[in-house]
Amino acid sequence: MMLELVEEHRCWGGVQRTYKHDAKSIGLPMRFSVFLPRQASFAKVPALFYLAGLTCTEETFPIKAGAQRYAAEHGIALIAPDTSPRGAGVPNESAAWDFGVGAGFYVDATQEPWSRNYRMYSYVTRDLREAVLTDLPVRADRLGIFGHSMGGHGALVLALKNPGLYKSVSAFAPISAPSQCPWGVKAFSGYLGENRELWKQYDASELVVNASARFEAGILIDQGLADNFLATQLHPEIFEAAAKQAGQPVTVRRHEGYDHGYYFISTFIGEHIAHHARVLCA
Amino acid sequence: MMLELVEEHRCWGGVQRTYKHDAKSIGLPMRFSVFLPRQASFAKVPALFYLAGLTCTEETFPIKAGAQRYAAEHGIALIAPDTSPRGAGVPNESAAWDFGVGAGFYVDATQEPWSRNYRMYSYVTRDLREAVLTDLPVRADRLGIFGHSMGGHGALVLALKNPGLYKSVSAFAPISAPSQCPWGVKAFSGYLGENRELWKQYDASELVVNASARFEAGILIDQGLADNFLATQLHPEIFEAAAKQAGQPVTVRRHEGYDHGYYFISTFIGEHIAHHARVLCA
């Protein structure tokens, strides 16, 4: 797997890069961003995958979250993929902002015409991970994952479905029970079809019930109470209840006045990275 | 002067807002962004004006610089105006990225057709300041100013031309001697005409020689050495020499590997805010 360097900027003593590579699962070139802390110039470092939300790209997180200073402090690499294939050529794939381009939902689509390229689950867990481990100074045994909204859903699902692969997980305002909200129903119907049994494989509130993946340090979720999508789309209380019932420690912190955007994320990003660092840098 | 609230987000315990208001000097509505720290909810706080560079808007700084956490820590408000009038209707005003829209250069244009609206100097020093002091919990006697590139030029010029108005000043990669670089020559020719005597009124390296404004805490300038514009456009060494000759303390810090962008700014923004806080919060 060859990485093509698209851009590079020095940042907090390390480097912020954008790479492009051929992604086998997707069948198209994909872009992702990487922050490598100074520590990565002399040793392999832990890495934290960040999955972004609807309409975002691989640039959203490095530009808006203010995460690099904390990653520099802890010596952790940050890796942020794009949120869908680009250029698949599916008719009308850019017509909606919550389905298709920018809205891959971190699933492997089974339905035509999406199933050829819309395979973000395999892309993140396999292609991207392998590319990072092969070509960047990252430790395979110290990976964590987090994300926002659609990407919070993605982070929870990928962590729960792959025991041992990600050692730590957290989320900002995740779509916590996608089978039970309009965004999730639309995406799962389109990508996975009408068989709701299949949806359970990508629904964190279902997966957590029988997951063999365990996160002893707990799953950290931050949620703004002025988030316009909280009541209709996010349902953290469903995940919270399911996790508690399953004995998986979870902390949902609810913050008065904070909304769904990156000003919210940037406020708490340092605490998320510290949460991961307690596991990944131990 | 009435402020219209355009948007508001909770951030670092305070609020990040965008306002719109009728700007008398400009003759058009203008937008600016404000971060008010938690401290501003019970007392007036110091404020730091940030002037952005070419092509930027009032949103660039709050989204990309990661400044709020430091402003929250020190209890300082951050105020960032747009970089030019919008909607003046000057023919071809958006044709170039380094002149016209997004490139007001913080001068009061004297040349037709720019002179009617392109009056960013008066806007920032008068309209914006008065609006902020009238309608927001900000202390008139504790104002500082900083900026980036074109806005670094603006910050130095506004501070040097208005003794006592701004108590502290700093800049990231400022256009330090605009009369001697292509960006400045283009802008000054267009806005001010060919009389180079007039240009001196907006050239920090000229102004510092006889300025009655003094900054005893020094002027802090950070400059990346991998900045593509350093050799041709920025010339910090000219300002540095002029300031030293004039007895105005100045510290130009040169950083290996850093470029002209916001990854550079975000790395050092905390140190700039601390520089201002030493004066404004003393």
Side-chain angles (χ1 to χ4, degrees):
Chain A
M1 200 114 42
M2 291 280 291
L3 298 185
E4 179 192 331
L5 185 63
V6 178
E7 51 180 276
E8 177 174 50
H9 308 277
R10 187 156 294 277
C11 181
W12 278 99
V15 283
Q16 181 66 51
R17 292 185 185 145
T18 305
Y19 285 113
K20 190 175 168 181
H21 66 149
D22 288 323
K24 209 169 143 192
S25 309
I26 303 282
L28 289 166
M30 289 290 288
R31 281 171 183 242
F32 64 96
S33 67
V34 175
F35 172 73
L36 287 177
R38 189 197 307 269
Q39 294 87 333
S41 54
F42 49 83
K44 287 193 175 191
V45 295
L48 196 40
F49 290 86
Y50 179 89
L51 306 182
L54 291 167
T55 76
C56 293
T57 73
E58 76 285 353
E59 282 197 296
T60 312
F61 177 70
I63 289 176
K64 294 186 169 183
Q68 293 92 347
R69 78 155 283 181
Y70 304 100
E73 223 169 77
H74 294 289
I76 294 177
L78 300 171
I79 296 150
D82 203 349
T83 54
S84 78
R86 307 270 164 180
V90 172
N92 295 318
E93 66 181 337
S94 297
W97 64 276
D98 56 0
F99 185 68
V101 169
F105 265 85
Y106 307 101
V107 304
D108 283 352
T110 59
Q111 301 298 297
E112 289 288 347
W114 307 98
S115 51
R116 186 176 313 177
N117 307 109
Y118 279 72
R119 296 168 49 77
M120 289 296 291
Y121 176 81
S122 288
Y123 171 65
V124 175
T125 55
R126 207 167 54 207
D127 302 351
L128 176 62
R129 184 172 55 91
E130 288 171 5
V132 163
L133 295 177
T134 305
D135 291 341
L136 297 174
V138 162
R139 288 186 60 161
D141 61 337
R142 305 224 165 177
L143 305 179
I145 192 163
F146 65 158
H148 170 231
S149 193
M150 174 182 76
H153 139 76
L156 294 172
V157 165
L158 269 56
L160 291 166
K161 279 172 78 81
N162 293 279
L165 204 161
Y166 305 104
K167 300 289 188 294
S168 57
V169 58
S170 73
F172 296 94
I175 301 173
S176 303
S179 308
Q180 301 181 54
C181 77
W183 279 340
V185 169
K186 179 175 180 178
F188 286 3
S189 301
Y191 294 133
L192 305 174
E194 296 305 332
N195 179 358
R196 286 184 171 243
E197 280 306 305
L198 190 51
W199 295 11
K200 292 184 180 174
Q201 295 178 28
Y202 294 109
D203 185 321
S205 294
E206 298 283 349
L207 288 166
V208 74
V209 176
N210 295 307
S212 57
R214 293 280 301 180
F215 301 92
E216 294 306 334
I219 295 173
L220 173 63
I221 294 177
D222 275 316
Q223 176 63 55
L225 291 177
D227 183 329
N228 285 333
F229 302 112
L230 175 53
T232 51
Q233 304 282 9
L234 304 177
H235 300 312
E237 69 286 355
I238 298 179
F239 180 77
E240 192 177 24
K244 283 189 170 156
Q245 204 177 341
Q248 167 59 56
V250 60
T251 303
V252 181
R253 308 192 307 180
R254 293 169 169 88
H255 304 281
E256 198 73 51
Y258 285 88
D259 65 24
H260 198 64
Y262 273 80
Y263 292 119
F264 157 62
I265 294 174
S266 71
T267 302
F268 300 103
I269 191 76
E271 293 172 36
H272 278 248
I273 294 178
H275 165 83
H276 290 273
R278 279 190 288 276
V279 176
L280 302 180
C281 305
Chain B
M1 203 115 39
M2 291 282 289
L3 298 185
E4 178 192 333
L5 184 64
V6 178
E7 51 181 276
E8 178 173 49
H9 308 277
R10 189 156 290 278
C11 181
W12 278 98
V15 284
Q16 181 67 51
R17 293 185 184 145
T18 305
Y19 285 114
K20 189 174 168 180
H21 66 150
D22 288 323
K24 209 169 143 191
S25 308
I26 302 282
L28 289 167
M30 289 290 289
R31 282 172 183 242
F32 64 96
S33 68
V34 175
F35 172 73
L36 287 178
R38 187 196 309 267
Q39 294 89 331
S41 53
F42 49 83
K44 288 194 175 193
V45 295
L48 196 39
F49 291 85
Y50 179 89
L51 306 183
L54 292 166
T55 76
C56 293
T57 73
E58 75 285 353
E59 281 197 294
T60 312
F61 177 70
I63 290 175
K64 294 186 168 183
Q68 293 91 348
R69 78 157 282 182
Y70 304 100
E73 222 169 78
H74 294 289
I76 294 177
L78 299 171
I79 296 149
D82 202 350
T83 53
S84 78
R86 308 269 164 181
V90 173
N92 295 316
E93 66 181 336
S94 297
W97 64 275
D98 56 0
F99 185 68
V101 170
F105 265 86
Y106 307 102
V107 304
D108 283 353
T110 58
Q111 301 297 296
E112 289 288 345
W114 307 100
S115 51
R116 187 176 313 177
N117 307 109
Y118 279 72
R119 297 169 49 76
M120 290 296 291
Y121 176 81
S122 287
Y123 171 66
V124 175
T125 56
R126 206 168 53 208
D127 302 351
L128 176 62
R129 185 172 54 91
E130 288 172 5
V132 163
L133 294 177
T134 304
D135 291 341
L136 298 173
V138 162
R139 287 186 61 161
D141 60 337
R142 306 224 164 177
L143 305 178
I145 192 163
F146 64 159
H148 170 231
S149 193
M150 174 182 76
H153 140 74
L156 294 172
V157 165
L158 269 57
L160 290 167
K161 278 170 80 81
N162 294 280
L165 205 162
Y166 305 104
K167 300 290 189 294
S168 56
V169 56
S170 73
F172 295 95
I175 301 174
S176 303
S179 307
Q180 301 181 55
C181 76
W183 278 340
V185 169
K186 180 176 179 178
F188 286 4
S189 302
Y191 294 132
L192 305 173
E194 296 306 332
N195 178 359
R196 287 186 171 240
E197 279 307 302
L198 190 51
W199 295 14
K200 292 184 180 174
Q201 294 178 26
Y202 294 109
D203 185 321
S205 294
E206 299 283 350
L207 289 166
V208 73
V209 176
N210 296 308
S212 57
R214 292 280 301 181
F215 301 92
E216 295 306 333
I219 296 172
L220 174 63
I221 293 176
D222 275 316
Q223 175 62 56
L225 292 176
D227 183 329
N228 285 332
F229 302 113
L230 175 53
T232 51
Q233 305 282 10
L234 305 177
H235 300 312
E237 70 285 354
I238 297 178
F239 180 77
E240 192 177 22
K244 281 186 173 158
Q245 205 177 339
Q248 168 58 56
V250 59
T251 304
V252 181
R253 309 192 307 180
R254 295 171 167 86
H255 303 280
E256 198 74 50
Y258 285 88
D259 64 25
H260 198 64
Y262 273 80
Y263 291 119
F264 157 62
I265 293 173
S266 71
T267 302
F268 300 103
I269 191 76
E271 294 172 35
H272 278 247
I273 293 178
H275 165 82
H276 290 271
R278 278 191 288 275
V279 177
L280 303 180
C281 305

